[in-house]
Amino acid sequence: MDIKRVKDYVYWLYFQYLLITCSYVLEPWEQSMFHTITVTVLAMVLYTAYVFIPIHVRLAFEFFSQMFGGQPESAV
Amino acid sequence: MANPSAVCNGHLHYHHKQNNLLKSGISKKNGVTKGIKKNGVSNGSLSKKAFIEHFEQAPMYVAVLTFVGFGVGTIFGYLRDFMRAWGLEKRNIATEREQQKDFVPLYQDFENFYTRNLYMRIRDNWNRPICSVPGPQFDLMERVTDDYNWTFRFTGRTIKNVINMGSYNYLGFAETDANALKTVAKELEKYGTGICSTRQEMGTLDKHIELEKLVARFLGVEDAMVFGMGFATNSMNIPALVGKGCLILSDELNHTSLVLGARLSGATIRIFKHNNIQSLESLLKDAIIYGQPRSRRAWRKIIILVEGIYSMEGSIVRLPEIVSLKRKYKAYLYLDEAHSIGAVGATGRGVVEYFGMNPDDVDVLMGTFTKSFGAAGGYIAGKKDLVDFLRTHSHSAVYATSMCPPVAEQIIRAMKCLMGLDGTTQGLQRVQKLGKNTRYFRRRLHEMGFIIYGNDDSPVVPLLLFMPGKIGAFARRMLEKNIGVVVVGFPATPITESRARFCVSAAHTREMLDTVLNALDELGDFLQLKYSRYSKSAHPELYEETRFELDD
């Protein structure tokens, strides 16, 4: 029973995604193409975020602490 | 207080005259009035009715997602066009012939692109053939498509008793009850169906004279003329009334028939913002001050074209303000009551009665019999001089065949029923039922949290869908639940505001409306259509119970 509810909820989310991006009206092969492109773009965004965000956050933190702390730090 | 369910004697217009009569009657005799008793008038012309209209804007993310949806559709449209042009896909729609490939292209504009690539994909929601009378319920022919809506085939099955929320059947006169259609059947046997002539040749029957007198009496004007087609009434008579050197001030959202008539007339057309009095007044001021464009002469005629109820928005025209403007600047007013005649007003006499005004304030009263009277055709009513002029100069009178007698008899019997002349109160009951249904339907939809446009008293209820993907999903799922709705998309509405338009009818019972409302509730949650940020509480009964006086 619980599995069915979860499955229904996941299907409902998928249906909302279809409606919002207007891929509900596309033919099946067009939908597959659109899903592939979307998933690829999303994967690339997530990978870039995973690689770059921690480094950038650390650099920003060092920059601001330098301004407020006043300790001269050598450029990394 | 006035008892609205009492029988009215059909003389509810000319409030001012009757007021005087009553006053003199009371003073002369001891409390017994000599004049016509005024029974069943609600509010009258003295109290100001609240004019509540809603045009709520959707949250920003909805507009963004709508554009995203259209963007995706456009990209795939270009892809499919490319495939069709390079022969990778079969061409199903009209294209130019091989010999004409070097000519000016016919099918490259946006309208054709949109039709080919976006409209075709959800085309199964329009032009659905019905096979019964369009009453509160009707039968649909089932059809399926094998190639994504390019062609359809009928399976042979009919879907029975689909609740009809799309027909303009406001008073429920589209019925097949043999008792109600007795006189119509009699006239059909007496006159047949064809007229085979125009009004000015041999097409004027005694039925037309009877109908015209009845229409004039119903509206409270001097004379009226009827035509065979409602669209043609507008498009053929506006050119007869105005011409070159005249100015037409037309509302932004006027119907195509008014636009066509205005363009055919050759007059100068200026558009004012929808129902916006300041915009109209600034246009009138400019017209009076500056006159015609190059010669600076005064305009021969200034005419304002408005509609009683706008069918895509559900809004009601601001008649009192427009009449005061027209008196101040000496312009003429042409009121198209296609959707409002029979549907608003205490006794169904249209927006003029709804605002408690005198029909003499409006110069040209136009309306159609297609919507509230269950027939076909249109009328123009007003002063006798105007109607006599139209009888000789209207293009419709000279060239179009006149209304056929059974249809005229249907209008006569519907109008007599409305006025109470057939001896029953059925007409007034229908009008009141429509009012009750409208208010109930709109109130429940507001409470559920949908965005509804229009005035609280108009039986046309547009429910906003916004996103293009939801148009097809909504209509198909409503049909699966056995409810037929009309959805409208881009060319008829602005691109971001696609909607589903419901037309409430007096023939709908409370159960039918409840079925529809429950289905809408469910579907609204499933498709996430409840965008309103101002919805009232979903359980108003609780408030009723807790509203009691506290005694000290």
Side-chain angles (χ1 to χ4, degrees):
Chain A
M1 195 55 217
D2 226 16
I3 298 288
K4 186 175 185 315
R5 249 178 10 101
V6 170
K7 270 190 3 197
D8 279 342
Y9 184 64
V10 171
Y11 175 73
W12 182 79
L13 281 179
Y14 169 66
F15 193 66
Q16 295 307 305
Y17 157 76
L18 283 184
L19 286 177
I20 288 173
T21 56
C22 192
S23 47
Y24 170 80
V25 304
L26 298 175
E27 296 176 22
W29 62 272
E30 289 169 332
Q31 274 191 359
S32 321
M33 194 200 291
F34 183 72
H35 291 332
T36 319
I37 296 175
T38 313
V39 168
T40 315
V41 168
L42 200 64
M44 290 197 283
V45 165
L46 286 173
Y47 177 69
T48 316
Y50 170 72
V51 168
F52 283 107
I53 285 186
I55 297 182
H56 281 238
V57 165
R58 194 166 62 79
L59 285 175
F61 177 68
E62 282 176 9
F63 177 74
F64 281 114
S65 69
Q66 179 187 20
M67 270 202 331
F68 292 129
Q71 291 169 14
E73 281 204 29
S74 59
V76 173
Chain B
M1 214 37 225
N3 179 12
S5 57
V7 183
C8 70
N9 54 11
H11 291 284
L12 285 179
H13 27 276
Y14 295 132
H15 296 289
H16 321 290
K17 269 198 198 159
Q18 285 191 347
N19 268 330
N20 293 334
L21 257 167
L22 278 173
K23 281 192 197 127
S24 56
I26 287 176
S27 58
K28 282 193 183 141
K29 299 224 162 182
N30 14 355
V32 178
T33 61
K34 251 172 143 181
I36 303 163
K37 282 209 202 316
K38 203 159 65 166
N39 233 356
V41 176
S42 58
N43 288 344
S45 52
L46 298 170
S47 66
K48 208 95 175 40
K49 203 185 272 247
F51 192 86
I52 312 171
E53 284 200 341
H54 312 265
F55 290 102
E56 191 185 333
Q57 260 204 329
M60 180 60 84
Y61 73 88
V62 173
V64 170
L65 290 175
T66 310
F67 280 116
V68 164
F70 272 111
V72 167
T74 313
I75 293 175
F76 276 98
Y78 280 128
L79 174 69
R80 296 296 291 271
D81 272 352
F82 173 76
M83 286 171 55
R84 281 188 204 109
W86 283 84
L88 296 166
E89 193 193 335
K90 194 163 68 107
R91 280 179 210 141
N92 279 319
I93 203 170
T95 49
E96 294 104 327
R97 288 163 53 193
E98 273 307 313
Q99 302 93 318
Q100 292 173 333
K101 282 290 177 178
D102 295 326
F103 289 19
V104 174
L106 287 174
Y107 303 110
Q108 273 186 12
D109 56 348
F110 182 66
E111 198 184 309
N112 282 304
F113 175 82
Y114 181 84
T115 310
R116 268 198 307 267
N117 297 309
L118 288 161
Y119 173 73
M120 277 294 170
R121 296 186 193 265
I122 43 175
R123 192 165 78 115
D124 58 312
N125 297 311
W126 290 284
N127 301 348
R128 292 186 184 139
I130 70 176
C131 48
S132 75
V133 67
Q137 289 179 325
F138 61 155
D139 301 334
L140 269 184
M141 294 173 74
E142 194 189 24
R143 54 179 191 168
V144 292
T145 173
D146 302 314
D147 51 358
Y148 300 105
N149 292 341
W150 288 100
T151 56
F152 293 105
R153 68 184 161 84
F154 295 107
T155 58
R157 203 171 74 94
T158 49
I159 309 175
K160 294 236 175 265
N161 288 338
V162 178
I163 298 183
N164 184 358
M165 295 306 290
S167 290
Y168 308 130
N169 184 18
Y170 298 129
L171 292 176
F173 280 117
E175 52 197 355
T176 46
D177 180 26
N179 217 3
L181 296 179
K182 246 193 332 221
T183 48
V184 178
K186 203 156 57 77
E187 299 303 322
L188 181 59
E189 283 169 17
K190 178 174 169 194
Y191 289 99
T193 51
I195 294 266
C196 311
S197 186
T198 67
R199 282 299 292 263
Q200 287 194 358
E201 290 175 9
M202 294 220 275
T204 304
L205 304 178
D206 52 351
K207 271 283 158 230
H208 296 138
I209 311 287
E210 187 189 338
L211 176 57
E212 285 169 4
K213 284 208 181 66
L214 191 63
V215 169
R217 188 173 152 197
F218 178 70
L219 296 169
V221 288
E222 287 176 21
D223 201 1
M225 181 174 182
V226 299
F227 304 92
M229 184 179 164
F231 187 99
T233 309
N234 270 333
S235 49
M236 295 293 117
N237 286 305
I238 297 179
L241 293 172
V242 289
K244 254 182 143 146
C246 303
L247 176 64
I248 294 183
L249 296 173
S250 145
D251 189 291
E252 205 178 17
L253 299 174
N254 268 339
H255 190 253
T256 315
S257 56
L258 290 164
V259 172
L260 186 62
R263 288 185 189 165
L264 278 176
S265 67
T268 313
I269 309 177
R270 301 218 175 124
I271 316 276
F272 62 93
K273 294 208 183 60
H274 177 59
N275 238 359
N276 190 327
I277 303 300
Q278 288 79 19
S279 171
L280 178 58
E281 178 156 26
S282 76
L283 281 182
L284 277 166
K285 275 195 192 139
D286 285 342
I288 304 284
I289 295 173
Y290 295 113
Q292 300 195 25
R294 260 168 285 148
S295 60
R296 300 290 196 197
R297 276 192 221 151
W299 293 101
R300 278 177 44 210
K301 241 181 272 191
I302 302 181
I303 192 165
I304 306 173
L305 296 183
V306 287
E307 291 188 37
I309 291 185
Y310 292 90
S311 59
M312 274 305 154
E313 311 284 311
S315 50
I316 297 186
V317 66
R318 293 180 190 276
L319 197 60
E321 289 95 335
I322 294 190
V323 166
S324 65
L325 268 186
K326 101 166 170 85
R327 277 209 203 107
K328 178 174 169 190
Y329 292 99
K330 301 205 178 25
Y332 296 105
L333 182 57
Y334 183 106
L335 180 64
D336 177 346
E337 289 207 86
H339 285 268
S340 52
I341 190 75
V344 289
T347 58
R349 282 168 166 82
V351 281
V352 171
E353 187 191 27
Y354 177 76
F355 287 109
M357 307 183 64
N358 194 339
D360 289 336
D361 290 333
V362 181
D363 301 292
V364 188
L365 283 160
M366 178 267 169
T368 61
F369 301 117
T370 337
K371 280 91 185 181
S372 303
F373 297 96
Y379 66 86
I380 289 201
K383 296 246 170 330
K384 192 163 187 328
D385 304 330
L386 169 76
V387 179
D388 284 343
F389 176 81
L390 280 179
R391 284 190 212 279
T392 39
H393 288 87
S394 159
H395 300 271
S396 221
V398 184
Y399 296 109
T401 40
S402 40
M403 192 184 273
C404 80
V407 171
E409 179 56 36
Q410 158 72 5
I411 305 169
I412 291 175
R413 76 125 187 137
M415 225 173 236
K416 282 196 176 147
C417 180
L418 258 188
M419 292 165 73
L421 294 176
D422 59 345
T424 67
T425 56
Q426 209 197 63
L428 199 55
Q429 280 171 358
R430 283 177 194 251
V431 175
Q432 283 163 0
K433 185 91 199 302
L434 176 64
K436 272 201 260 230
N437 282 354
T438 305
R439 281 189 290 275
Y440 176 67
F441 198 67
R442 275 179 173 268
R443 178 174 63 84
R444 286 287 304 272
L445 283 177
H446 272 297
E447 280 166 13
M448 285 186 202
F450 293 101
I451 294 188
I452 308 285
Y453 274 7
N455 195 303
D456 275 342
D457 287 317
S458 102
V460 178
V461 186
L463 188 154
L464 274 281
L465 299 172
F466 293 110
M467 298 180 201
K470 299 193 180 179
I471 304 175
F474 185 81
R476 283 177 199 146
R477 278 170 198 260
M478 285 300 268
L479 188 58
E480 278 167 26
K481 293 185 200 279
N482 238 20
I483 300 171
V485 295
V486 170
V487 285
V488 207
F490 166 53
T493 65
I495 198 155
T496 42
E497 293 173 16
S498 50
R499 57 198 74 174
R501 186 184 62 178
F502 298 101
C503 292
V504 185
S505 159
H508 284 135
T509 59
R510 195 46 85 94
E511 291 80 40
M512 284 184 214
L513 287 183
D514 282 335
T515 318
V516 175
L517 285 163
N518 290 334
L520 280 175
D521 203 1
E522 231 182 278
L523 211 53
D525 285 327
F526 188 69
L527 295 177
Q528 290 287 292
L529 290 172
K530 298 189 178 174
Y531 300 117
S532 176
R533 288 170 281 194
Y534 307 117
S535 64
K536 299 182 212 144
S537 150
H539 300 283
E541 302 90 65
L542 251 68
Y543 277 109
E544 256 25 284
E545 280 171 20
T546 54
R547 200 185 291 146
F548 53 86
E549 315 274 58
L550 288 170
D551 301 317
D552 295 338

